[in-house]
């Protein structure tokens, strides 16, 4: 329970315990503890580390207690035993009817078979003492934390009755007019009540009794509690309104919060905090995620879902935030040996629906924790006697790190004890008005319990035997499967060995083939060298066949020209093939023009500046489309006839280009002369 829990209330919480006397006797007195809500901005607000509300303690009589309840209208009147406020069931119903609208009587120790208050307080971390005042305070704090069951004798259906407020009388001269007025006022008030119920959007059924001049009475069956109905008991003149809840057949106990008792919680901390709650049967109960919630908000949400016995994370090591949650709930921790991969999380949560990856990670952690403990849960359940709470035994073993036998023994002792307090009731009692048993009846009860324990033990042994037989059959099946897999593996090993031998043979053949290729490549290189030596004057050879030798330059750059010059020399009269003619500048073009080539065959477009430099040096430039170049290794040749034709074409184009340039220059001189300007060349 946190400060936030108490301060969220807008009405006080009463805790009550018998201080002295007996409700069945005369004038019992009660220890009363009142927890008043305190706002955060209240100057008297307690610190978060101190008490969680303004606490008032007093010893009052039953009459004063009822008067305080009427005056303060608390949210809860909490006690460890509802029959401390009434001698029997009839008086308890009367006490419940006298409570103000919205005030509930809460038994914090459970329903028909309550637990000792000390155990409930310890479970929820509430301070406890055997003195009546401390027990009353523990009850109040437990109820403020929504622990316990509401004691109710009424349903959620309320009857609102509108009737005559006075008798119509025996008669007289104005009897008819008087009766008509009363019935008319009843009808008017009935319509007002119906209008208020409709404005409040409440479901109801109306039944009216029509009389002379209007209604004798009207009854509304409303599906709501009295505090939710905008009508109250009243009597004014001719009309009376009565509001009364419908009685149940007996006394019933309804939990303040519908909780799933013991649960497994997975938490994914971070900017967005997510939590997932899974039952001990692996059922997904609830998912939660928020970017703004703090630790207290998440803790309260988890408390509303149940009592965690395992807090799980999806990474290793467990984050510090998750470890804090684990310590706050005094639960066991679970984490994987390594961080859970995303594909495994997706597979494990495939049957659940979640809103984001954070909820998926929290749910995966909880489900994997359940998978890891499922067999342990089954073993514990098989050893738990029917009279004990199976989940309580699991919680004691898993979260308490105790043996199954010791937990069963502790729970059996608690179940048979008196609970350790004047306000606690015996766990075996079902009615506080039941008379004490005689010695023979007590002996019979103990013997019956012993028989039940022995029968339970026998059933446990039979279950263990059946489980052992199933395990033997399972192991035999696994052995047969292992033998079959061993035979398959042996055949696989033989096939692999055969394939490995074949692979080795093929690799040897491949290596031999590679050696042969390398040897032949060496011979080819040698033959090429010999051929070059034998045909050192390749131009003569090419000329005999109508071909012209071509020297290849990979790229029109200075480095590529230097490399070609070093490889086979660039001299006057050479035909140079530029494999990539783009990108050259003035300096590169001048370097090529210095060699005075016969022609330049280009592949690609020349830059304008390079084209102009070569043109100025009378170096013919022809496209490779006009003079195709054939290459053999480092040697290249072109057709002499095609080259001559291309050169003739270049000369014709060069002549036209020179004429055009001269005409352009002349036009420029004339234009500048007319403008009064003189070209530098003219002045000279």
């Amino acid at each position: 329970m946190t400060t936030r829990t108490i301060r969220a209330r807008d009405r006080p919480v009463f805790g009550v315990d018998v201080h002295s006397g007996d409700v069945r006797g005369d004038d019992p007195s009660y220890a009363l503890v009142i927890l008043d809500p305190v706002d955060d901005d209240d100057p008297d607000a307690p610190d978060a580390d101190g008490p969680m509300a303004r606490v008032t303690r007093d010893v009052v009589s039953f009459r004063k207690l009822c008067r305080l309840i009427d005056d303060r209208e608390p949210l809860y009147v909490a006690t460890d035993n509802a029959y401390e406020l009434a001698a029997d069931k009839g008086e308890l119903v009367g006490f419940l009817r006298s409570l103000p609208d919205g005030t509930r009587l809460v038994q914090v120790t459970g329903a028909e078979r309550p637990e000792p208050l000390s155990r409930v307080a310890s479970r929820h971390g509430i301070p406890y003492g055997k003195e009546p005042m401390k027990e009353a305070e523990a009850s109040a704090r437990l109820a403020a934390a929504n622990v316990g069951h509401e004691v109710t004798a009424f349903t959620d259906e309320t009857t609102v009755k509108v009737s005559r407020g006075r008798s119509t009388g025996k008669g007289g001269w104005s009897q008819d007019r008087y009766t008509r007025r009363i019935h008319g006022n009843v009808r008017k008030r009935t319509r007002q009540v119906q209008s208020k119920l409709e404005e409040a959007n409440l479901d109801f059924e109306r039944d009216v009794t029509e009389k002379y001049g209007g209604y004798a009475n009207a009854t509304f069956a409303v599906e709501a509690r009295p505090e939710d109905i905008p009508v109250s008991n009243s009597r004014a003149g001719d009309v009376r309104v009565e509001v009364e809840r419908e009685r149940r057949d007996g006394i019933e106990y309804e939990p303040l919060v519908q909780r799933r008792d013991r649960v497994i919680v997975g938490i994914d901390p971070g900017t967005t905090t997510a939590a997932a709650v899974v039952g001990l049967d692996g059922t997904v109960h609830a998912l939660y995620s928020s970017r703004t919630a703090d630790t207290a908000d998440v803790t309260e949400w988890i408390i509303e879902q149940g009592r965690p016995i395992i807090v799980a994370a999806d990474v290793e090591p467990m984050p510090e935030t998750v470890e804090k949650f684990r310590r706050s709930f005094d639960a066991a921790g679970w984490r994987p040996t390594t961080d859970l991969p995303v594909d495994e999380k997706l597979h494990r949560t495939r049957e659940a629906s979640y809103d984001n990856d954070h909820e998926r990670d929290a749910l995966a952690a909880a489900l994997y924790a359940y998978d890891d403990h499922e067999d342990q849960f089954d073993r514990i359940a098989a050893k738990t006697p029917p009279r004990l709470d199976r989940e309580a035994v699991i919680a004691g073993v898993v979260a308490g790190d105790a043996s199954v036998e010791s937990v069963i023994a502790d729970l059996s002792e608690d179940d048979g004890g008196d609970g350790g307090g004047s306000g606690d009731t015996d766990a075996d009692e079902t009615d506080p008005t039941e008379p004490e048993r005689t010695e023979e009846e007590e002996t019979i009860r103990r013997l019956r319990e012993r028989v039940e324990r022995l029968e339970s033990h026998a059933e446990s042994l039979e279950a263990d035997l059946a489980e052992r037989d199933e395990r033997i059959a399972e192991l035999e099946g696994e052995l047969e499967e292992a033998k079959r897999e061993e035979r398959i593996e042996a055949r696989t090993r033989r096939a692999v060995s055969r394939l490995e031998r074949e692979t080795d043979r093929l690799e040897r053949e491949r290596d031999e083939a590679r050696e042969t290729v390398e040897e032949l490549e060496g011979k080819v290189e040698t033959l090429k060298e010999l051929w070059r030596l034998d045909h050192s004057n390749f131009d003569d050879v090419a000329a005999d066949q109508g071909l012209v030798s071509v020297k290849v330059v990979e790229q029109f750059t200075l480095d590529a020209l230097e490399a070609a010059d070093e490889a086979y020399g660039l001299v006057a009269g050479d035909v140079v093939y530029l494999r990539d003619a783009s990108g050259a500048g003035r300096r590169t073009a001048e370097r090529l023009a210095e060699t005075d080539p016969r022609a330049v065959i280009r592949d690609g477009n020349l830059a304008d500046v390079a084209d102009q430099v070569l043109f100025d040096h009378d170096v013919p430039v022809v496209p490779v489309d006009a003079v195709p170049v054939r290459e053999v290794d480092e040697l290249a040749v072109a057709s002499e006839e095609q080259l001559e034709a291309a050169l003739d074409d270049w000369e014709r184009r060069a002549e036209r280009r020179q004429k055009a340039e001269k005409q352009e220059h002349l036009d420029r001189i004339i234009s500048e002369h007319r403008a009064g300007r003189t070209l530098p060349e003219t002045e000279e």
Side-chain angles (χ1 to χ4, degrees), residues 61-121:
S61 64
F62 182 76
R63 186 184 301 274
K64 184 177 181 180
L65 173 63
C66 294
R67 190 164 60 251
L68 286 171
I69 292 174
D70 290 338
D71 293 342
R72 300 291 303 277
E73 295 186 1
L75 182 65
Y76 298 138
V77 177
T79 180
D80 59 349
N81 184 3
Y83 283 96
E84 291 182 351
L85 299 171
D88 53 31
K89 188 178 298 184
E91 288 188 12
L92 183 57
V93 172
F95 178 77
L96 293 172
R97 182 180 286 111
S98 69
L99 293 177
D101 294 341
T103 297
R104 305 181 188 182
L105 176 62
V106 177
Q107 183 168 290
V108 298
T109 52
E112 289 87 352
R113 296 176 62 85
E115 298 180 88
L117 179 60
S118 58
R119 186 191 305 168
V120 178

